[in-house]
Amino acid sequence: MKFFHLSDLHIGLKLFNRDLLEDQQYILKQIVEIAIEEQPDAIVIAGDIYDKAVPSAEAVAVFDEFIANLTTAVPDTVIMMISGNHDSAPRVNVFRSVLSKQNIYMIGIAPQQPDEHIEKVTMQDAYGTVNFYLLPFVKPSMVKSVVGTDENGNNFSYHETVHKLIERESIDSSERNVLVSHQFYLPKGTDSDSIERMDSEIRTVGNIDEVSADILHKFDYAALGHIHKPMKVGSEYYRYCGTPLACSVSEAGQQKGIVVVEMQEKGSILTDVIPLEPLHQVRVVKGELEEVLKQSCNDYVTVILTDKVDLNVIDMQDRIRNAFPNLLEIRRETLRKTDYSKKFAAEKNLDPFELCCSFLKEMDDSEKELLRDVINTVQEVQ
């Protein structure tokens, strides 16, 4: 059983207000071409199909073209996808029963009633059965009718919620099982602050959305989405594939790709990464003005100037824009500092929750919990 592991397409994303639809079309066509060559049995997209809950008509058209091209190019390939935290779960879930008859599984909504379970897609190969469990992004409040609440009537944590959802399933350990999920999984004992996160990711205050990865041990492979940098979660077989296209300057220089998973007999899995080459790279060019101008290119570029002398701002901007047609931003790195830098250094390093606490001061635990929820909600809709 060979399948592609993809996630975080973020169709409709803008990078510094620069429209990336052409770049996304380019990379999606490349994925189709690789699928023609590799002929996977399945293609898995682990959430964040779109960048916004209400995507533009142009973004929907790009996604529609991608799926249409895939179904034409590899008609026998099963396509499975789930909603991520950027997606509108009901919009992804639309026509779910109709599409499943066409071997396209778009699962936007997790179990809502006690008698419902995680969507399972079962496939067969020479070694027997492979079960794909498709679990969309969930918040505790979304599934409390299924997992319940604690003794005080409060929602369970993200960790407890995801564990309870998965533990409800009758997973046959003699068969090969794959989890497709879009959450923030951490190896047990790992500090969430030690995980490098990309600027394009939504992060919750206090990392309240973290889930211990020990629950993944029920599966032979976990195809994860949510983290934008390729990352393994304590195992070669529990991994984030990352975005197929850089979504922020913090991803400059990252090699993006498709994770190809080949499941043989139970206990034998091969993984490989097929590189994806973007229409435009995301680059950071640093140096003095004259050095920077010599690196002219059509990539998406952040320029960091290190000149220690004052520059003619208008002339400098014009020359840089001529050298880099797809310029994202210009920054200045200077040794000159004001007294304010020391005064406000601590505040700059505080996250929004800490800043609000320092301003509001004497809050009790319930008020702090309410503040966390408000900040997380605001961050998610931005």
Side-chain angles (χ1 to χ4, degrees):
M1 178 75 62
K2 179 198 289 186
F3 66 89
F4 284 2
H5 171 194
L6 295 161
S7 77
D8 296 272
L9 306 183
H10 286 279
I11 300 173
L13 173 80
K14 292 183 183 293
L15 184 59
F16 283 85
N17 292 319
R18 189 172 291 279
D19 195 325
L20 295 182
L21 281 176
E22 183 184 4
D23 297 80
Q24 292 175 326
Q25 279 182 303
Y26 182 88
I27 214 73
L28 294 174
K29 286 179 180 177
Q30 196 173 137
I31 292 170
V32 173
E33 291 167 1
I34 294 171
I36 293 172
E37 183 178 342
E38 292 289 325
Q39 292 292 309
D41 299 294
I43 294 175
V44 169
I45 304 173
D48 280 354
I49 297 164
Y50 297 110
D51 190 59
K52 301 291 183 186
V54 184
S56 67
E58 292 80 9
V60 173
V62 168
F63 178 64
D64 178 68
E65 179 185 33
F66 174 51
I67 297 301
N69 288 342
L70 271 180
T71 54
T72 300
V74 284
D76 296 327
T77 297
V78 177
I79 301 171
M80 294 174 263
M81 66 195 83
I82 59 173
S83 62
N85 58 305
H86 278 255
D87 296 310
S88 163
R91 282 183 169 84
V92 173
N93 210 64
V94 73
F95 304 129
R96 172 171 169 171
S97 60
V98 175
L99 290 170
S100 64
K101 295 180 176 64
Q102 309 299 320
N103 280 335
I104 300 174
Y105 297 86
M106 290 182 64
I107 311 303
I109 298 177
Q112 297 293 291
Q113 301 299 327
D115 62 342
E116 295 178 350
H117 289 270
I118 297 171
E119 182 82 15
K120 181 172 75 170
V121 177
T122 299
M123 298 179 64
Q124 300 288 334
D125 67 3
Y127 299 103
T129 299
V130 179
N131 301 304
F132 291 84
Y133 289 84
L134 310 181
L135 178 60
F137 172 75
V138 292
K139 292 181 180 179
S141 60
M142 294 176 176
V143 291
K144 66 178 179 180
S145 60
V146 176
V147 301
T149 56
D150 66 19
E151 62 275 11
N152 298 317
N154 298 318
N155 292 334
F156 287 112
S157 66
Y158 277 81
H159 164 83
E160 293 168 315
T161 296
V162 173
H163 277 238
K164 287 179 179 295
L165 276 176
I166 293 174
E167 286 165 353
R168 294 173 70 245
E169 303 300 318
S170 299
I171 300 173
D172 187 344
S173 60
S174 68
E175 297 178 341
R176 292 162 296 164
N177 299 291
V178 176
L179 176 68
V180 183
S181 180
H182 191 96
Q183 305 285 161
F184 180 29
Y185 290 96
L186 279 175
K188 192 171 183 179
T190 302
D191 181 359
S192 56
D193 291 333
S194 68
I195 303 298
E196 183 184 12
R197 304 292 296 273
M198 301 297 100
D199 293 343
S200 52
E201 298 173 27
I202 289 178
R203 281 167 276 188
T204 59
V205 173
N207 291 307
I208 63 170
D209 60 339
E210 65 183 60
V211 178
S212 175
D214 58 352
I215 193 66
L216 302 180
H217 296 162
K218 291 178 176 288
F219 301 91
D220 297 272
Y221 185 87
L224 306 177
H226 192 43
I227 303 298
H228 289 183
K229 178 181 179 180
M231 186 180 87
K232 298 171 187 175
V233 188
S235 167
E236 180 76 20
Y237 309 122
Y238 311 140
R239 63 199 291 172
Y240 291 96
C241 60
T243 58
L245 193 70
C247 295
S248 64
V249 175
S250 62
E251 296 164 63
Q254 283 183 16
Q255 177 62 67
K256 303 295 188 177
I258 303 169
V259 177
V260 182
V261 183
E262 291 195 52
M263 305 193 78
Q264 300 175 340
E265 67 272 14
K266 177 77 175 182
S268 179
I269 304 175
L270 302 176
T271 62
D272 192 15
V273 178
I274 298 178
L276 291 169
E277 298 303 327
L279 182 62
H280 303 97
Q281 296 282 354
V282 174
R283 297 177 55 201
V284 176
V285 178
K286 183 176 179 179
E288 294 188 355
L289 178 60
E290 297 304 325
E291 298 170 349
V292 164
L293 295 174
K294 292 176 184 177
Q295 301 179 56
S296 174
C297 67
N298 288 317
D299 291 331
Y300 295 127
V301 172
T302 284
V303 169
I304 302 176
L305 294 175
T306 60
D307 298 77
K308 295 180 176 61
V309 297
D310 289 331
L311 298 170
N312 182 312
V313 174
I314 302 301
D315 176 66
M316 174 263 290
Q317 290 180 342
D318 287 343
R319 294 175 69 190
I320 291 175
R321 288 194 175 96
N322 286 333
F324 303 102
N326 290 312
L327 179 70
L328 297 175
E329 61 173 339
I330 303 171
R331 302 180 194 169
R332 291 295 303 271
E333 183 179 83
T334 174
L335 295 177
R336 291 179 295 178
K337 296 181 180 179
T338 67
D339 293 335
Y340 296 109
S341 64
K342 291 182 179 180
K343 182 177 179 180
F344 295 112
E347 283 84 346
K348 287 182 179 179
N349 292 326
L350 293 176
D351 66 26
F353 176 73
E354 292 170 327
L355 279 171
C356 289
C357 285
S358 67
F359 177 75
L360 296 173
K361 302 196 181 296
E362 301 169 355
M363 292 191 295
D364 60 29
D365 291 341
S366 63
E367 290 171 329
K368 287 182 179 179
E369 197 60 37
L370 177 61
L371 177 61
R372 285 183 191 276
D373 187 55
V374 169
I375 294 173
N376 287 332
T377 301
V378 169
Q379 288 178 323
E380 286 177 359
V381 299
Q382 284 180 340

